[in-house]
Amino acid sequence: MCILCGELISSFHWSDVSFKEEKASISAGENQKERQRSRLERAKLLGLVLAFYGLSIKEWQNSKFILSDKKGKSLIVNDLGDLWLKAEELSSKPIDILDLNFINFLKEHHG
Amino acid sequence: MAKIPIILITGFLGSGKTSFLNEFLRHYDDEGLAVIVNELGQIALDGRILKPSIAYKDEQMLVLNSGCVCCNKRLDLIKGLKELLDSYDLKQKHLKKVIIETTGLANVAPIAFTLLSDAFLSNHFILQNTLVCVDTLNAHLHLQNQEAKDQIILADSIMLTKTDLKKADKSLIQELQSLNPSASIVDKQDFSHEELFSLDKKAKFQDFSLIKTHEEDFESLALEFDYSVNWSAFGIWLSMLLHRYGTQVLRVKGIIDTGEDFLVNINAVLHIMHTPSHIKKDEQNGSKLVFITRKLESQKIKQSLQSFETILKNKDKI
């Protein structure tokens, strides 16, 4: 259960699996820093990709992402499984990774 | 507690699934093992192997999304596995392993989806391996059916059966390899029954130069890259690919080098992704990926992955 919005989350998206060994006992907040670091990194990388669709993404409270278009319309995103559906809601372009325009955009900006 | 491993046995009608199970159960006697058999019509199993631990279930499908085969839930499995666990608990016994034998026409994808998406099942069970039986006598005939091809594409291991009657010829092996280059092929005669639960899902990487692109609409693509990949970036790329092309990308298997001291093993069936697991690093560095696609030019996937290279190589620390 997400304590911020009461949403019941019953499964993890595969990309959120942590490979770090679980310790038997952890002190409060010990994993939070690492989790936040990887979430911020993901938001940054997603920003590079979503720029093509005129969208931006922010990490929020170590629990969700906020996806916005340039007019300020925003949606809450749980994980990568959720993201692309919501990006299609906000963007006029279909989210297509094999689209040549998208590939050329990536090559031009991050090639 | 460790999750209970499930082995899924598939194979076309008459491909020797039940005979294999029969032999297996005769050699393997462990009360921690339960078997679920999906019945098709009136097919009855040989009375001698009927054990209390075998549960017969009719297929019951909950259709969630009519457009996609894989996103259907198998209600019979949810119910069957829960009952199984309950009955072991009541008897105060420990359920250690489960074998599910599907019907000859069953599709594996909804089973994998059910095991991963149901909150209860995903916490108690893990699909360890999907084994497809291929009968060397009738394989060429079976392979004319779409269901039989799908079963091979979606499997992790291929077992050749009836090899005592007819050895697998080279053309059959080639055909199987070109359908699913990432699966390991075993001969039932050389297979010892203890090995069943040690089969893993790890992709096999054969010599891809031998494999012809399969006729019709199937294509397979093998990619290797020698740099270590940013796992976050790879997750973005693959989730984006499967979002749109989940029904055309039949399989993705691979070993990803994320620059840590372990490798990440990934395995996707249609747009269902098995939980990635980490495996020991071997001598070879770098990542390997295999894609099997239908009605999708696999070279486009290569092109797209190349355009992602800078993002995949991203090492900026935040």
Side-chain angles (χ1 to χ4, degrees):
Chain A
M1 173 97 67
C2 168
I3 52 158
L4 295 170
C5 59
E7 190 183 350
L8 188 68
I9 297 163
S10 60
S11 58
F12 275 114
H13 189 254
W14 59 265
S15 59
D16 291 327
V17 173
S18 160
F19 298 111
K20 296 276 179 310
E21 265 182 42
E22 282 174 34
K23 283 185 257 175
S25 65
I26 50 162
S27 57
E30 197 179 316
N31 291 336
Q32 291 298 328
K33 212 191 268 177
E34 179 59 28
R35 181 175 152 86
Q36 177 128 36
R37 197 194 68 77
S38 73
R39 290 177 62 84
L40 286 169
E41 182 191 29
R42 175 169 295 174
K44 189 187 129 196
L45 295 174
L46 278 170
L48 306 177
V49 175
L50 290 167
F52 176 72
Y53 301 99
L55 303 173
S56 61
I57 196 159
K58 265 194 312 198
E59 206 282 327
W60 183 67
Q61 297 285 334
N62 223 359
S63 111
K64 307 272 173 190
F65 294 99
I66 299 177
L67 181 71
S68 318
D69 67 5
K70 284 183 176 158
K71 293 178 199 153
K73 197 175 167 193
S74 300
L75 288 173
I76 294 178
V77 170
N78 284 324
D79 52 37
L80 288 179
D82 201 20
L83 170 69
W84 307 114
L85 290 170
K86 293 193 170 150
E88 274 185 341
E89 271 181 48
L90 290 184
S91 163
S92 53
K93 295 178 203 163
I95 308 289
D96 182 354
I97 201 164
L98 306 183
D99 174 17
L100 273 181
N101 291 330
F102 176 66
I103 289 174
N104 290 336
F105 168 85
L106 286 184
K107 278 188 187 154
E108 208 174 295
H109 291 78
H110 314 290
Chain B
M1 206 173 79
K3 290 183 189 175
I4 302 163
I6 295 182
I7 300 277
L8 195 60
I9 299 179
T10 69
F12 201 63
L13 300 164
S15 59
K17 297 182 293 297
T18 310
S19 314
F20 170 67
L21 197 58
N22 193 337
E23 284 170 29
F24 177 78
L25 292 175
R26 226 180 282 156
H27 289 98
Y28 194 95
D29 200 11
D30 184 344
E31 58 175 11
L33 171 76
V35 181
I36 293 178
V37 181
N38 271 144
E39 267 186 297
L40 187 72
Q42 294 294 310
I43 304 166
L45 207 66
D46 188 338
R48 277 174 305 171
I49 67 155
L50 277 177
K51 288 187 177 185
S53 61
I54 299 182
Y56 286 88
K57 296 284 169 203
D58 287 328
E59 271 187 44
Q60 287 173 350
M61 194 81 89
L62 173 67
V63 182
L64 295 176
N65 178 346
S66 54
C68 168
V69 233
C70 66
C71 299
N72 296 329
K73 276 204 178 186
R74 286 279 301 268
L75 296 176
D76 57 313
L77 269 189
I78 300 180
K79 200 163 157 259
L81 286 169
K82 279 182 187 168
E83 282 173 2
L84 201 62
L85 213 53
D86 279 349
S87 72
Y88 270 77
D89 271 353
L90 277 176
K91 284 185 264 175
Q92 295 193 325
K93 283 182 183 162
H94 182 40
L95 178 63
K96 290 180 208 143
K97 291 159 186 174
V98 178
I99 296 178
I100 300 174
E101 185 199 336
T102 67
T103 68
L105 297 171
N107 192 314
V108 175
I111 299 175
F113 178 69
T114 307
L115 291 172
L116 284 162
S117 65
D118 186 86
F120 179 83
L121 295 189
S122 64
N123 279 303
H124 283 87
F125 296 96
I126 183 162
L127 182 58
Q128 194 185 338
N129 199 286
T130 309
L131 180 75
V132 61
C133 294
V134 175
D135 138 21
T136 49
L137 275 179
N138 304 309
H140 289 295
L141 200 66
H142 288 169
L143 283 171
Q144 290 168 11
N145 287 287
Q146 191 58 48
E147 287 88 354
K149 279 186 191 163
D150 284 348
Q151 284 170 346
I152 289 165
I153 291 169
L154 303 183
D156 301 309
S157 315
I158 299 173
M159 174 171 288
L160 301 170
T161 60
K162 306 189 189 167
T163 43
D164 48 342
L165 301 172
K166 185 177 183 244
K167 283 274 165 225
D169 49 46
K170 220 176 168 186
S171 70
L172 176 64
I173 302 282
Q174 265 183 357
E175 181 156 13
L176 294 173
Q177 282 182 336
S178 67
L179 272 172
N180 187 347
S182 66
S184 52
I185 300 180
V186 288
D187 186 328
K188 193 171 93 172
Q189 284 193 308
D190 310 329
F191 189 77
S192 96
H193 296 283
E194 285 73 38
E195 286 172 53
L196 186 64
F197 278 92
S198 51
L199 287 171
D200 60 21
K201 276 207 293 264
K202 201 173 134 187
K204 299 285 177 292
F205 297 95
Q206 286 131 2
D207 187 356
F208 281 89
S209 59
L210 293 173
I211 298 159
K212 314 186 288 285
T213 308
H214 204 256
E215 88 284 13
E216 295 163 54
D217 306 321
F218 293 103
E219 282 186 42
S220 48
L221 169 74
L223 293 176
E224 271 185 66
F225 28 95
D226 50 6
Y227 53 91
S228 63
V229 168
N230 179 318
W231 175 246
S232 256
F234 183 76
I236 294 170
W237 181 82
L238 189 59
S239 66
M240 206 170 161
L241 176 77
L242 296 180
H243 164 70
R244 192 172 175 90
Y245 296 101
T247 48
Q248 285 158 279
V249 179
L250 303 176
R251 283 313 291 267
V252 184
K253 280 187 121 182
I255 292 169
I256 310 291
D257 181 355
T258 55
E260 305 277 345
D261 49 3
F262 52 79
L263 299 166
V264 181
N265 184 24
I266 59 156
N267 186 352
V269 172
L270 298 164
H271 48 236
I272 308 159
M273 182 81 182
H274 288 275
T275 314
S277 55
H278 60 259
I279 52 172
K280 265 194 197 148
K281 209 160 191 169
D282 47 20
E283 304 83 56
Q284 297 170 331
N285 278 328
S287 309
K288 290 177 174 182
L289 281 168
V290 184
F291 296 87
I292 305 174
T293 60
R294 178 157 59 197
K295 292 184 181 156
L296 180 70
E297 277 178 59
S298 54
Q299 287 306 315
K300 281 190 179 168
I301 296 178
K302 194 175 175 182
Q303 202 182 8
S304 147
L305 199 59
Q306 279 167 349
S307 73
F308 243 75
E309 208 165 70
T310 324
I311 301 178
L312 286 173
K313 281 181 182 169
N314 194 294
K315 287 276 182 305
D316 293 351
K317 289 279 174 239
I318 289 176

